[in-house]
């Protein structure tokens, strides 16, 4: 008898007590049960945001990956729906892996029926139970209404990897070619036969028949990415106009597995980086080989932008996985039977070639004004307005002359501290210390040197067990899982002259 995988997942969800866990976030999207990882198929439709994600409802007892599905009208409060993609076909029975979405406009039928208005591309994973040999294929699911999801009858669209590459061939992202109307492009992360990472580009006019264009290359990068890690995961391209130069640029964001950590930087198990250039054919030109991490925190991976229909343009919004490989041992798996979350959506901009990220939902004009102005020569001073709340959004700034300032989340015995330290020569560092929290295995303390001229401003989105830091103008972002004492609320400021920013705090719980 064939197992009903949809019914089994729904049963696991219905039995779940995850939402009752004191660590379960209020405004960050987390799984209803089990494990969440990469965001998938993000899209905006008529003012509603839909997030799909890698979902393992039976974790840790059984590793089988579905696509979970949730929606939101305000990017803060998420409603869970039934899983959208079930790994019940011969080509994905070992898991429906990551991918992206395309939303078709009325005049973009591409010869497709109305039931195909929403297109979801993903990697079907198949492992031989005897040899463990992997087969990866690229597959399609369509939906007429984001409630019903149908696998394309001629799946897989790309049944196997091309010659010269291994079976590590995955994570399709599809977008309209802005330079060739009526044409769509796909980028895939791959591993070459010499065990180095790369990305492949495909093209299609009908979203069904795809032809290989070639490997993404960097003619002006002096070989910087020729042997850059052993596998590239979750590659994606975002087109932005640089706020300083007015030039249109293509930002490549991807996760190169296997690059070596530095004394400061790329310290996560697998990092996520970006580089900037101009995509022409298969070449990312005017890219000099410079790259940087998208997020400097302990937990961040596989970000993806929201897809939009051409008739409903809007800001570029990015969401990442607030997790990483080998981090499934977090306290929540024991206390609530769930693990991991997505970041809050972020608006993305480019300034002088540097990626800027800010929370997509700004603080409201009537946000609370904090009573924290004054001198505090020692210790930390509680923020009265946050007392009793474990989920909040906060903006602070400091006097440039203050040599040490920051924030403490939690009590002194179990806390996370965020401090800015300034040397006599003006050099500035951010130090995030979670060594006294309940989760330190993959990093207890991290120091980040701030770019010169970074304004002494800090924006924090803290949500029970996850914290996101936006420093200065958003050029530095830091995501971490912040498991302080269960049920701990509030925060305290550190420093002599910390000021609230106008409309500076709102609580979510």
């Amino acid at each position: 008898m064939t197992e009903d995988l949809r019914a089994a997942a729904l049963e696991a969800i219905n039995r779940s007590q995850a939402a009752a866990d004191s660590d379960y976030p209020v405004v960050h999207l987390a799984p209803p049960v089990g494990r969440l990882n990469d965001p998938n198929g993000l899209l905006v439709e008529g003012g509603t945001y839909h997030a799909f994600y890698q979902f393992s409802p039976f974790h840790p007892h059984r590793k089988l990956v579905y696509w979970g599905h949730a929606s939101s009208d305000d990017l803060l409060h998420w409603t869970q729906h039934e899983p959208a993609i079930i790994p019940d076909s011969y080509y994905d029975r070992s898991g429906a892996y990551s991918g992206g979405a395309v939303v078709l406009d009325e005049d973009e039928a591409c010869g497709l029926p109305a039931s195909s208005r929403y297109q979801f591309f993903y990697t079907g994973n198949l492992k031989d139970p005897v040899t463990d040999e992997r087969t990866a294929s690229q597959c399609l699911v369509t939906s007429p209404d984001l409630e019903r999801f149908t696998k394309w009858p001629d799946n897989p669209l790309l049944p196997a990897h091309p010659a010269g590459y291994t079976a590590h061939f995955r994570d399709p992202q599809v977008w309209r070619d802005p330079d060739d109307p009526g044409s769509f492009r796909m980028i895939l992360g791959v591993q070459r036969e010499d065990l180095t990472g790369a990305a492949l580009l495909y093209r299609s006019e009908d979203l069904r028949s795809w032809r290989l264009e070639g490997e993404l290359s960097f003619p002006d990068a002096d070989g910087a990415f020729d042997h850059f890690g052993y596998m590239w995961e979750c590659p994606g391209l975002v087109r932005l106009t640089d706020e300083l130069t007015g030039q249109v640029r293509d930002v490549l964001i991807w996760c190169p597995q296997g690059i070596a950590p530095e004394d400061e930087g790329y310290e996560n198990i697998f990092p996520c980086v970006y580089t900037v250039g101009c995509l022409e054919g298969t070449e990312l030109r005017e890219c000099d080989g410079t790259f940087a991490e998208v997020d400097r925190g302990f937990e961040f991976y596989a970000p993806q932008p929201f897809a939009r229909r051409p008739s409903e343009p809007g800001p570029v919004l990015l969401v990442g996985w607030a997790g990483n490989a080998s981090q499934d041992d977090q306290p929540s798996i024991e206390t609530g039977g769930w693990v991991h979350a997505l970041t809050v959506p972020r608006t993305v901009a480019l300034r002088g070639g540097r990626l800027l990220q800010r929370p997509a939902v700004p603080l409201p004009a009537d946000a609370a004004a904090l009573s924290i102005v004054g001198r505090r020569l020692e210790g930390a001073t509680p923020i009265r307005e946050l007392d009793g709340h474990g989920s909040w959004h906060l903006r602070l700034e400091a006097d440039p002359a203050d040599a040490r300032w920051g924030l403490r989340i939690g009590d002194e015995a179990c806390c996370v501290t965020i401090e800015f330290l300034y040397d006599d020569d003006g050099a500035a560092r951010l130090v995030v210390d979670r060594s006294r929290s309940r989760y330190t295995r993959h990093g207890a303390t991290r120091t980040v040197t701030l770019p010169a001229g970074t304004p002494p401003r800090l924006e924090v989105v803290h949500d029970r067990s996850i914290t996101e830091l936006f420093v200065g103008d958003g050029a530095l972002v830091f995501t971490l899982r912040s498991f302080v004492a269960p049920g701990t609320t509030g925060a305290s400021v550190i420093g002599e002259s910390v000021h609230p920013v106008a409309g500076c705090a709102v609580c979510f719980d």
Side-chain angles (χ1 to χ4, degrees):
M1 182 177 179
T2 303
E3 181 182 9
D4 187 337
L5 294 178
R6 179 181 296 277
L10 292 176
E11 183 181 356
I13 292 170
N14 290 334
R15 291 197 312 262
S16 175
Q17 298 297 313
D21 185 6
S22 61
D23 290 320
Y24 196 79
V26 175
V27 298
H28 287 77
L29 179 54
V33 68
R35 183 180 190 267
L36 168 152
N37 55 297
D38 303 359
N40 294 157
L42 307 179
L43 64 89
V44 186
E45 177 56 45
T48 299
Y49 302 86
H50 291 263
F52 300 82
Y53 55 88
Q54 295 280 274
F55 175 43
S56 303
F58 315 119
H59 179 84
H61 310 292
R62 182 182 181 187
K63 184 179 180 181
L64 187 60
V65 181
Y66 297 59
W67 271 32
H69 177 205
S71 65
S72 173
D73 294 330
D74 61 3
L75 295 175
L76 288 172
H77 303 94
W78 294 91
T79 299
Q80 294 281 358
H81 305 287
E82 290 190 9
I85 302 180
I86 312 299
D88 57 2
S89 301
Y90 76 89
Y91 47 81
D92 64 9
R93 66 186 181 206
S94 301
Y97 279 21
S98 291
V102 169
V103 185
L104 295 178
D105 248 335
E106 294 295 333
D107 60 352
E108 287 187 304
C110 298
L112 304 174
S115 61
S116 301
R117 190 66 61 199
Y118 306 96
Q119 310 274 309
F120 300 93
F121 299 85
Y122 73 100
T123 297
N125 187 43
L126 179 63
K127 283 189 176 182
D128 187 291
V130 177
T131 66
D132 205 36
E133 183 177 349
R134 177 195 301 268
T135 300
S137 60
Q138 311 316 316
C139 308
L140 173 68
V141 162
T142 65
S143 175
D145 52 13
L146 298 175
E147 295 179 3
R148 295 165 291 166
F149 299 87
T150 303
K151 291 181 179 177
W152 190 247
D154 294 329
N155 272 342
L157 300 178
L158 299 175
H161 58 277
Y165 301 90
T166 74
H168 290 285
F169 167 65
R170 56 182 175 267
D171 308 334
Q173 290 296 311
V174 177
W175 73 100
R176 296 168 183 82
D177 187 345
D179 304 317
D180 184 8
S183 183
F184 295 84
R185 307 194 75 183
M186 176 190 292
I187 188 169
L188 284 156
V190 295
Q191 182 185 65
R192 304 184 186 103
E193 286 186 340
D194 67 0
L195 305 186
T196 57
L200 294 179
L201 289 165
Y202 287 76
R203 186 179 293 273
S204 175
E205 283 71 43
D206 62 3
L207 294 170
R208 298 296 177 269
S209 300
W210 293 89
R211 59 187 180 277
L212 176 62
E213 293 186 289
E215 188 176 299
L216 179 65
S217 62
F218 307 83
D220 305 316
D222 197 26
F225 303 118
D226 291 352
H227 299 88
F228 192 65
Y230 61 76
M231 169 64 194
W232 288 9
E233 288 198 318
C234 303
L237 282 152
V238 177
R239 179 160 285 191
L240 299 170
T241 299
D242 194 295
E243 294 179 349
L244 283 185
T245 68
Q247 296 174 317
V248 175
R249 288 291 180 262
D250 294 303
V251 182
L252 174 68
I253 300 174
W254 80 108
C255 300
Q257 296 182 320
I259 65 172
E262 299 178 358
D263 290 340
E264 183 183 310
Y266 316 100
E267 299 132 293
N268 288 351
I269 297 172
F270 297 130
C272 177
V273 303
Y274 73 93
T275 194
V276 180
C278 296
L279 184 65
E280 297 185 27
T282 60
E283 297 179 335
L284 192 66
R285 298 180 180 177
E286 300 181 41
C287 169
D288 63 5
T290 300
F291 62 95
E293 283 186 278
V294 176
D295 188 299
R296 290 287 285 111
F298 299 110
E299 283 82 37
F300 185 83
Y301 201 69
Q304 184 178 124
F306 278 86
R308 298 175 181 270
R309 62 173 72 237
S311 60
E312 295 184 6
V316 176
L317 300 178
L318 195 74
V319 170
W321 172 31
N324 213 302
S326 303
Q327 293 190 335
D328 296 343
D329 56 347
Q330 295 174 6
S332 62
I333 200 64
E334 297 295 333
T335 59
W338 66 280
V339 66
H340 301 306
L342 299 184
T343 67
V344 295
R346 305 167 177 182
T347 58
V348 178
L350 193 67
R351 182 185 299 162
R354 180 182 289 273
L355 201 64
L356 306 181
Q357 303 170 76
R358 306 178 183 96
V361 182
L363 288 167
D366 58 352
L370 304 182
S371 305
I372 59 172
V373 178
R375 292 181 63 82
R376 286 158 295 281
L377 299 179
E378 297 180 0
T381 300
I383 301 174
R384 177 173 52 81
E385 287 78 6
L386 299 185
D387 187 38
H389 298 282
S391 182
W392 36 263
H393 185 178
L394 170 69
R395 282 196 295 208
L396 299 172
E397 63 182 1
D399 189 312
D402 199 341
R404 172 178 175 260
W405 69 280
L407 191 72
R408 187 182 75 194
I409 302 170
D411 57 35
E412 191 170 355
C414 187
C415 63
V416 170
T417 59
I418 301 144
E419 291 192 85
F420 294 87
L421 306 176
Y422 297 84
D423 298 334
D424 292 339
D425 60 3
R429 291 164 289 145
L430 166 68
V431 180
V432 179
D433 183 351
R434 63 177 182 184
S435 61
R436 286 183 287 171
S437 74
R438 290 184 289 135
Y439 187 69
T440 62
R441 179 176 172 184
H442 296 279
T445 304
R446 182 166 294 176
T447 299
V448 183
T449 299
L450 303 184
T454 299
R457 293 195 296 267
L458 174 65
E459 187 164 4
V460 183
V461 179
H462 174 72
D463 193 7
R464 292 186 172 177
S465 63
I466 178 173
T467 305
E468 297 180 66
L469 312 176
F470 300 84
V471 179
D473 57 0
L476 174 65
V477 184
F478 194 110
T479 300
L480 70 149
R481 297 309 305 273
S482 48
F483 287 93
V484 294
T488 295
T489 62
S492 304
V493 295
I494 301 167
E496 297 184 9
S497 185
V498 181
H499 309 276
V501 177
C504 57
V506 61
C507 298
F508 301 124
D509 57 355

